[in-house]
Amino acid sequence: MGLAFYKPIFEKLEGSIIPTHSSAGLAGICTGITQAVTLVTPLEMIKVRQQTEMYTNQHQRKYHGLINTASTIIRQEGGLMATVARQSWGLLVKFSAYVEMKALFQRANPDTELKPWQHMVSGGTANILVGVLNSPPDVVKTRMQDAGRSYEGTLDCMKSMLKNEGITSFFKGSWLRIIRIAPGGAIQFACYEYILSWLNSKK
């Protein structure tokens, strides 16, 4: 939805106000901010908090159910900036990579429309890049939203990880994430292109 909503807006500004080929990336940033502020931050934080307390004794748990977890977090904490960074950067990579992959296929066959498998390859490849390049903000976001955190803020979390665990700590779990999100990207963009084509045919 973010690509369909924001990209046409930025396309009108390309070449005059913003650089050419930047509409997809800017659409990703705007979509990431919108998602983080309105939905992803609260739901991600609730999920992480409940998961980290999964093996805690029932009587020692701080959170009890969805509503209680949400109200406790709202009263005591924040956590927005780490999620905004993850969503914005991740969708910038995702949308830009998808558009560029499509462009490679189009340059190879300029006189034919792209086939569904080409959209799937483009979407899957884009999400592979997201899995690698967006791993640092994703790991930091998870650390920040962990109830047992000992960080003063996002920068403090990053400094502590780099100092105590090294640069590889920012990429923990990347392969598992790639395995999970690459097929999703393939299906997501293939469906997006099919629906977009269907809507355009109805005009």
Side-chain angles (χ1 to χ4, degrees), residues 25-52:
L26 291 171
I29 292 173
C30 291
T31 304
I33 293 172
T34 302
Q35 287 182 353
V37 172
T38 59
L39 187 64
V40 175
T41 296
L43 294 182
E44 281 283 326
M45 188 171 285
I46 290 169
K47 180 195 74 172
V48 170
R49 293 302 170 82
Q50 291 188 332
Q51 286 177 338
T52 54

Side-chain angles (χ1 to χ4, degrees), residues 1 4 23 42 58 63 78 83 96 104 107 112 117 124 141 149:
M1 290 298 292
S23 59
Q58 182 71 30
Y63 308 107
T83 306
S96 298
L104 286 176
R107 284 195 290 270
T112 59
W117 72 265
K141 183 272 308 176
R149 69 183 186 181

